[in-house]
Amino acid sequence: MKFNADHGFIKFDRQLPVYNWLYPLKGQETDKETVADAHARLDVSSIRSRALYFHIPFCETICTFCMLNRGIGAEGSEVVEKYVQALIKEIRMKASWPSITDVPPRVIWFGGGTPSILTAEQIRRIGAVIHECFDLSRLEEWTIEMEVKSVTREKCEAFRDIGVNKARLGLQTFNPKYRQLFNITATLEDTYRVVDLLGEYFDYRSFDILYGMHGQTTAEFAEDIQKAIDLGTESCEFYPINHLVTQNSLHTGYQSKKLKALSYVDKMGLTVFANHYLRNSGLRLYNGHGYARHPDPAGDTDFISRRYSNKYHEYCWAHWDDDLIGFGASSTTQCLDWTIMNDESRTSYIKNLLDHDDLKVKVTRAEHVPYERGLVLALPYHGHIDKNRILWDRIPGEVKDRFGELLGAGMFEERPDSYAITELGWTWYVNMMYYMSPAADRKILDEFVEARSKNGGITDGDRAMTPISTNPLRAEVGTPLPLAVAG
């Protein structure tokens, strides 16, 4: 990827087609660490704050845009109940280790899959164990992901009673064509009803919208944006679809409808369009893709607002001393230079915990504590970093050099006590996370993109962003001028 420092807007020659990843990626893997040994070796004395993640890997239907760890499961089924029992065992097991309980969590997130597939009784049972095992005196945000068809008043009451204060729906699109392609089976009428119901129980409601699908027009996207605004939730998040990690069946659907992939220049146009549409409707960015309503949006002088945050995302695109502890099949713990991934198999996850009081993990240790994470991830994604959070003497030289290039090109601005992203920089925030990553991590990302791009069942648009000169005075002698200029 080439950085075009001197170009006015097209700052990179191509667009990275993935938008989030673990950091650091480079590390030494070992299959010799047990779950107990790995957590015993975590020194959390320097950890500033923490989030807990709980994975519920079951869905009633499988969406074609999703490649997360999940499988078919029904409310009240035996497999979901066995999973709940295993999850509770994991919680109790990990809570016996000081590295897990010494830092009280600031944030809890139930993700999936579909956490709302749980029964009210299972919700209360898991919640009771969390309250029993952890000090929740510092807890600020507890989010639950929901799917419209499985939301009931009884479950809302159960989630509220255990402490949940934010509900999040995977709405994705209002457009019937793309809802069918995504295999979204909930009706929009039920969606509107559930959004109102959630407002009775939770302080904050949010939902996801995907865009940049094959064949999507600006008019279709504008309709999705307006309907998203009209829902009236406290926040909403707009993600460009990552086609490299979608299912082949989505692309088979595209082909059947003769929908062509958008170029990444076209996708960027939709991104910029959405920002202007939402800002002029009273919403403000609070991270790379999230928008929140403000009572006085005009009074917010930061391009990315600091008045609201998806607090869980502060632990995904995080500083080096903010860690994330995962529970459930395939969940990930990231603490300093350690990455610990739970067993990806739901079947063996359940069996090992219920039959053997054990959990298979994959452990990776980076070459050093990633002190640069705040610059590489948090600043581009969250839009700001306080200078007192940057340990310059511990950050690799290549990261500092590339940050300096971006700062000099106007992607960030320096303030007395902080650095902040500019509107231009936000347009390229994903590329900037990649660009500032150490070379070893960029290589791993490049290899992942190359491998996924070889999947013949997936179609993706042209990623080239190289600008075309529009100055006719710079044309070489003998080169015909564009018709609009030549007359």
Side-chain angles (χ1 to χ4, degrees):
M1 181 182 292
K2 179 182 177 182
F3 178 51
N4 303 317
D6 295 330
H7 193 274
F9 182 73
I10 303 296
K11 291 297 187 181
F12 292 90
D13 65 337
R14 63 184 173 91
Q15 176 64 45
L16 192 71
V18 294
Y19 306 104
N20 59 323
W21 55 87
L22 294 176
Y23 185 94
L25 288 166
K26 176 67 174 175
Q28 182 66 43
E29 290 189 12
T30 174
D31 57 3
K32 298 179 181 179
E33 294 275 0
T34 67
V35 63
D37 290 342
H39 288 84
R41 295 180 65 182
L42 296 181
D43 178 4
V44 299
S45 58
S46 60
I47 294 299
R48 184 183 69 150
S49 69
R50 169 169 290 172
L52 306 180
Y53 174 81
F54 298 86
H55 191 60
I56 310 297
F58 299 100
C59 299
E60 291 182 4
T61 54
I62 301 299
C63 298
T64 60
F65 61 82
C66 179
M67 291 286 283
L68 297 175
N69 183 299
R70 75 279 179 269
I72 293 291
E75 180 178 335
S77 66
E78 181 181 3
V79 67
V80 175
E81 171 56 27
K82 290 290 187 184
Y83 184 86
V84 169
Q85 294 173 16
L87 180 63
I88 288 174
K89 270 207 166 186
E90 182 190 358
I91 295 169
R92 292 191 186 280
M93 177 177 67
K94 286 185 174 178
S96 68
W97 302 325
S99 62
I100 301 301
T101 55
D102 280 357
V103 182
R106 175 174 169 253
V107 173
I108 295 176
W109 184 283
F110 276 33
T114 308
S116 56
I117 205 171
L118 299 171
T119 66
E121 186 274 336
Q122 289 168 338
I123 293 165
R124 293 182 188 278
R125 203 171 355 135
I126 296 171
V129 174
I130 292 172
H131 278 272
E132 172 191 330
C133 291
F134 297 99
D135 173 5
L136 303 185
S137 61
R138 300 183 191 173
L139 191 66
E140 297 178 14
E141 183 176 277
W142 189 336
T143 299
I144 177 74
E145 291 185 335
M146 294 180 163
E147 198 275 327
V148 168
K149 298 191 304 295
S150 58
V151 177
T152 66
R153 184 174 294 276
E154 183 184 19
K155 292 180 185 181
C156 288
E157 291 174 352
F159 280 125
R160 181 196 59 191
D161 290 348
I162 69 172
V164 172
N165 60 0
K166 183 176 180 179
R168 180 184 176 95
L169 292 173
L171 198 157
Q172 315 311 343
T173 179
F174 295 88
N175 185 292
K177 172 176 61 182
Y178 292 110
R179 289 177 71 84
Q180 180 187 30
L181 285 167
F182 288 162
N183 195 33
I184 297 173
T185 55
T187 67
L188 287 175
E189 290 74 17
D190 283 341
T191 300
Y192 300 140
R193 175 186 57 80
V194 166
V195 168
D196 289 340
L197 178 64
L198 298 180
E200 297 179 31
Y201 289 93
F202 305 107
D203 297 333
Y204 302 100
R205 298 161 299 166
S206 189
F207 59 89
D208 299 341
I209 292 290
L210 292 175
Y211 67 93
M213 290 79 76
H214 290 15
Q216 186 179 33
T217 66
T218 303
E220 288 174 325
F221 187 35
E223 186 173 357
D224 263 3
I225 295 172
Q226 187 57 56
K227 288 181 177 178
I229 294 168
D230 292 343
L231 269 187
T233 58
E234 289 70 32
S235 65
C236 52
E237 301 192 342
F238 286 75
Y239 295 87
I241 189 169
N242 181 355
H243 280 119
L244 288 191
V245 289
T246 54
Q247 297 179 45
N248 287 17
S249 57
L250 173 60
H251 299 265
T252 301
Y254 284 150
Q255 186 176 15
S256 70
K257 293 183 180 294
K258 296 181 171 54
L259 298 174
K260 301 298 184 183
L262 300 186
S263 73
Y264 278 73
V265 172
D266 289 333
K267 285 187 177 183
M268 176 172 284
L270 294 180
T271 299
V272 174
F273 173 75
N275 176 57
H276 284 277
Y277 197 128
L278 289 156
R279 288 180 69 86
N280 283 284
S281 301
L283 289 85
R284 288 292 182 271
L285 275 163
Y286 58 81
N287 61 27
H289 54 252
Y291 293 83
R293 299 177 190 274
H294 290 315
D296 178 28
D300 199 336
T301 57
D302 290 315
F303 178 70
I304 292 186
S305 176
R306 303 186 72 160
R307 296 182 184 179
Y308 177 86
S309 173
N310 180 330
K311 292 183 173 62
Y312 175 71
H313 284 171
E314 295 177 23
Y315 297 85
C316 302
W317 293 268
H319 292 278
W320 69 272
D321 54 357
D322 297 324
D323 74 1
L324 174 64
I325 308 297
F327 300 83
S330 78
S331 67
T332 299
T333 290
Q334 281 208 292
C335 180
L336 301 174
D337 49 340
W338 292 90
T339 299
I340 305 170
M341 179 173 287
N342 282 0
D343 191 346
E344 293 186 78
S345 167
R346 296 179 295 279
T347 301
S348 59
Y349 170 85
I350 293 170
K351 181 175 177 58
N352 284 331
L353 279 162
L354 295 187
D355 295 348
H356 307 293
D357 295 319
D358 196 14
L359 173 62
K360 185 172 70 175
V361 294
K362 183 174 75 174
V363 179
T364 304
R365 190 171 192 183
E367 297 174 350
H368 61 86
V369 174
Y371 294 107
E372 71 278 6
R373 278 183 76 179
L375 278 181
V376 173
L377 297 186
L379 173 57
Y381 186 74
H382 298 293
H384 50 79
I385 186 172
D386 293 333
K387 289 181 177 178
N388 61 14
R389 303 284 285 118
I390 306 173
L391 303 179
W392 289 111
D393 59 329
R394 299 184 182 182
I395 293 176
E398 62 178 322
V399 175
K400 290 190 285 190
D401 290 345
R402 290 190 167 218
F403 168 74
E405 291 179 44
L406 297 171
L407 179 66
M411 312 296 273
F412 304 116
E413 64 178 12
E414 184 173 5
R415 298 176 178 179
D417 300 315
S418 66
Y419 294 98
I421 201 167
T422 62
E423 183 172 357
L424 174 63
W426 165 78
T427 310
W428 300 96
Y429 84 87
V430 173
N431 277 15
M432 292 200 297
M433 291 193 298
Y434 169 90
Y435 189 73
M436 287 193 289
S437 294
D441 284 67
R442 296 198 304 271
K443 182 175 183 292
I444 293 171
L445 278 171
D446 289 342
E447 291 170 349
F448 171 80
V449 170
E450 182 180 5
R452 290 298 299 173
S453 298
K454 291 179 180 178
N455 182 341
I458 290 177
T459 52
D460 199 19
D462 185 359
R463 299 166 196 158
M465 306 293 285
T466 305
I468 300 170
S469 175
T470 56
N471 185 349
L473 298 180
R474 293 183 180 176
E476 296 180 5
V477 176
T479 301
L481 295 176
L483 291 178
V485 176

